[in-house]
Amino acid sequence: MSELFDAIDALVASRSPLPPPAERKRLRQAHGLTLEEVAATLDVRRATVGAWESGKTEPRPPQREPYAHLLKQLARLYPSPTATEGGVVPAAPAATAPAAVEVAPSAPTAAPAPVPAPAAAPPSPTAAPRPARGSRRPGASRAAAANSPAPAGPGAYAQGPLLVLDADDERQVTGYGTGGLLLDVPARSLPALVEWALAEARVGAEKLHASGKDADPLLVLTAAACERYGLPAALSDEERSAGRLPEGHQVIKLLERAGWKLTRRGLGPWARVYRPVTGGRRQCVQLCIPSWNALDDRAWGHAAKLEPAELARVLGVYAHRVMTPVGSTAVSGLELMTALNPPTRASEPDQDGKRHSEHRPGSLGTEPVDPAPCEAIDGHPVLAHLPRFHIRGPQERLFEEAYDWARDLTDAECMQSHLVGIDVNLAFGAAANGAVVGLGAPPEHVTHPVFDPAVPGSWLVDLSHVDLGRVKVAKQWRDLQGGLLPSPFTPTGERPEGPAWYATPTVAYAVELGYDVTPVEAWVRPRSGRFLDGWYKRLRDAYVATMADLGVAEKLPPGGFLEAMDGYKGRDLELGIVVNAVKMTVKGGIGKLQEKARGGGWVPGQAWPALARPTWRPDIRAAVISRARVNMHRKMIALAAATGRYPVAVLSDCAVYTADGPSPLDVLPYDQDGKTVPGSFRLGVSPGMVKHEGTQDVLWGVGVLEQLAAEGKVANLARYIKTGEVTARDNGE
């Protein structure tokens, strides 16, 4: 009789109830399980589990009962998104269930039919919950995504700015969007994918300025998606060196036959596929391929190794808060300047009622501008008349660079116990804010000019007479130990020896310190404006908002700020990536203003592609770096005047001080009300304020100085203060 009951149990188990296929996938992803992990546990193939989740096949004994048990356990941990605090929202009938977030394959037609408007568009990724700890592939199912909160409503870009495309063993491609969105991608080839992205996917982003243009759809292809569309999962050594696939590649031929073009950079890690504008309609799709090193780990950390849903969240937050990425963070930083301050606008209607494109005041315009000879980098065409291998000195070239200065410790400093590093938040961003720069007109040459701090330009002037032992601080003369401070006029911190070229902010600072200046000549730009203000505000808001998401809010008291900063990136690893990307966008964007020639075949004296951009402006870069260095020096002088503390090393936006304790509070004086020295360093998350960079023992610092001195090298302790490790890369090897 017991055998009969066992047989009945087995019969019931063979039909164990299972949730719908989409729910099976949602439950697996919610717990961070991969197809491989489930398949290995149930002793089946990965493709088999994928077929169960797509509804193509159903589990059979003996796997059905344990699979049903797994899903039942997961359902207890991760209830259906349709459940709410007030109860359970009834599911829509199958015939009327919203297909808002799924683009189903359809038969080819002469013109693709529009996708139905969504019942509820996915929310901004900033509102999307962080994947569960340990999750590898989080994301809502297709059915659940329609119930996402904060609907954006129907629109051309209802599905968000981007999709991360991944393919399974069945060669089915899924698009992972922001807010947990999932889309079935019907395209079978790369040309078809581009067509689908523009005609049906409703992916993209609204323009950042009324006179600008909308962001192109961004499609991020995983290695599996690359193979699905005939692309290599990784580039060969030769292709990686060239930065693109060869022109004769079969996929490029397919694109060309379909009427698509590629920009000059070709089909590489970041590629732009487009058709010429027709009827005022822009047709362009941006491709990003992480397995081809599109996401540089210096800016994006481990983003390229994330699962598709996690990567969609990271790039989605960046896209919503900064812009849809169009290349490296440096390229995106430069493009953001134009997106926020477009060069043209629509004119008023003419006598026929037509509008035309005209220059937009406050922008750089549409035409590139040659720099002054002193602003040009070596090899620029304006210097073609110079002898080959000629080395220009300070009287011929503008050297506005970030600090790299260090000195030996005094006997009194050696008696203290710690070296404490403090780092300025978004130093170049803060310096860009309020910077008055030349707009789209060539510089004018003037001899024996009267210095005007309101006029941007480059000035040949002798500042060697400025004595840091006696300077004006807050408009009062103060005596300082000038030998313990770097010069504010040179990147090395060494006192200038005679006339040299300086940007306006540097010369203005010499006047602020109480000294007269008499320029010999200048290249000035009377037509000027605060071109970078909007750029700074956008990046500042992105940085502050993301830091707040990580638990570091503005206006925290000094102690509370230091406590909040302790391990902040570990609270959400994906948002930690976004913070770093924002910082690199600031630095890279400023650096791109003076992009050098790259690649073989270039000859000094000839133009390179970057020179054709209106945003190739080394003078703007020089002004921002000058302001950043001056801001740093101003804070160091204010601290020295109030406390007698002097830096022992400065590297760009990081300064190192000796102290009797390990905390920045042992360096920076704060009273009981949380106030510190006016004009000096202040702890906080806002750009221009400082955070703790790192602390090491003074004995460690002395050892590093002696070690590198023995090797004939100059040690800058600010370079190593964060980790305490001295590597060959740190020393330029």
Side-chain angles (χ1 to χ4, degrees), residues 121 299 381 400 404 439 497 597 671:
E400 292 286 10
D404 187 349
L439 297 179
E497 298 179 351
D671 59 23

Side-chain angles (χ1 to χ4, degrees), residues 20-34:
E23 178 68 0
R24 302 169 196 174
K25 186 171 186 177
R26 183 191 75 82
L27 291 171
R28 172 180 62 78
Q29 292 179 334
H31 200 60
L33 299 175
T34 64

Side-chain angles (χ1 to χ4, degrees), residues 119-454:
S124 162
T126 59
R130 180 180 183 272
R133 187 176 298 278
S135 171
R136 295 189 60 198
R137 262 197 180 187
S141 68
R142 293 168 176 78
N147 297 314
S148 297
Y157 308 126
Q159 312 293 22
L162 57 91
L163 292 173
V164 178
L165 306 186
D166 192 27
D168 59 22
D169 287 351
E170 304 297 323
R171 295 175 64 79
Q172 171 62 45
V173 179
T174 300
Y176 293 75
T178 58
L181 169 73
L182 292 178
L183 293 177
D184 278 333
V185 181
R188 307 287 181 178
S189 66
L190 195 59
L193 176 65
V194 175
E195 295 274 8
W196 172 81
L198 291 169
E200 299 183 49
R202 290 178 293 153
V203 174
E206 297 287 343
K207 53 194 174 186
L208 297 179
H209 189 281
S211 297
K213 57 189 177 184
D214 293 351
D216 299 321
L218 173 62
L219 302 180
V220 184
L221 276 59
T222 66
C226 284
E227 294 177 338
R228 172 66 183 82
Y229 290 117
L231 298 170
L235 296 177
S236 67
D237 291 343
E238 183 178 351
E239 291 165 346
R240 190 163 52 250
S241 177
R244 69 187 74 184
L245 292 180
E247 295 295 331
H249 193 278
Q250 59 181 358
V251 173
I252 297 179
K253 291 180 178 179
L254 282 176
L255 289 170
E256 291 173 345
R257 282 200 291 268
W260 294 104
K261 297 179 179 293
L262 292 164
T263 58
R264 184 178 297 183
R265 61 184 174 185
L267 186 48
W270 289 92
R272 187 168 285 165
V273 185
Y274 72 98
R275 281 179 178 147
V277 176
T278 55
R281 181 169 175 246
R282 178 181 171 88
Q283 298 183 76
C284 185
V285 172
Q286 182 78 47
L287 302 180
C288 167
I289 306 179
S291 61
W292 294 6
N293 199 34
L295 302 176
D296 184 355
D297 57 7
R298 290 172 297 181
W300 292 101
H302 64 285
K305 299 177 182 178
L306 293 174
E307 292 293 325
E310 295 171 332
L311 181 56
R313 179 176 181 247
V314 168
L315 295 177
V317 172
Y318 182 91
H320 277 82
R321 290 183 171 171
V322 180
M323 68 176 297
T324 304
V326 293
S328 66
T329 50
V331 170
S332 297
L334 191 72
E335 290 290 326
L336 182 62
M337 296 178 191
T338 302
L340 292 168
N341 204 333
T344 61
R345 67 180 181 185
S347 68
E348 293 296 323
D350 60 17
Q351 58 185 6
D352 297 324
K354 295 182 179 180
R355 296 180 183 269
H356 306 276
S357 177
E358 66 178 14
H359 171 73
R360 212 184 125 264
S363 73
L364 297 184
T366 59
E367 297 298 323
V369 176
D370 278 341
C374 62
E375 298 163 349
I377 59 176
D378 292 340
H380 192 282
V382 302
L383 304 176
H385 63 284
L386 293 178
R388 193 177 183 186
F389 306 120
H390 175 73
I391 298 176
R392 294 183 294 156
Q395 295 189 46
E396 295 179 274
R397 180 179 175 184
L398 182 70
F399 286 96
E400 292 286 10
E401 301 293 341
Y403 266 131
D404 187 349
W405 169 86
R407 62 172 175 82
D408 291 331
L409 277 63
T410 65
D411 292 343
E413 289 168 339
C414 288
M415 297 302 293
Q416 295 186 287
S417 57
H418 291 86
L419 290 160
V420 180
I422 52 177
D423 182 78
V424 180
N425 302 318
L426 295 189
F428 293 141
N433 185 35
V436 178
V437 300
L439 297 179
E444 301 175 6
H445 185 247
V446 184
T447 57
H448 301 292
V450 175
F451 176 69
D452 185 348

Side-chain angles (χ1 to χ4, degrees), residues 399-403 427-428 431-432 435 488 491 503 505-506 587 590-591 594 618-632 652:
F399 286 96
E400 292 286 10
E401 301 293 341
Y403 266 131
F428 293 141
T506 302
K587 289 185 178 180
I590 296 300
Q594 186 180 276
D619 58 296
I620 296 180
R621 174 186 177 273
V624 171
I625 293 178
S626 167
R627 282 172 59 91
R629 196 180 64 247
V630 163
N631 288 345
M632 195 77 173
S652 188

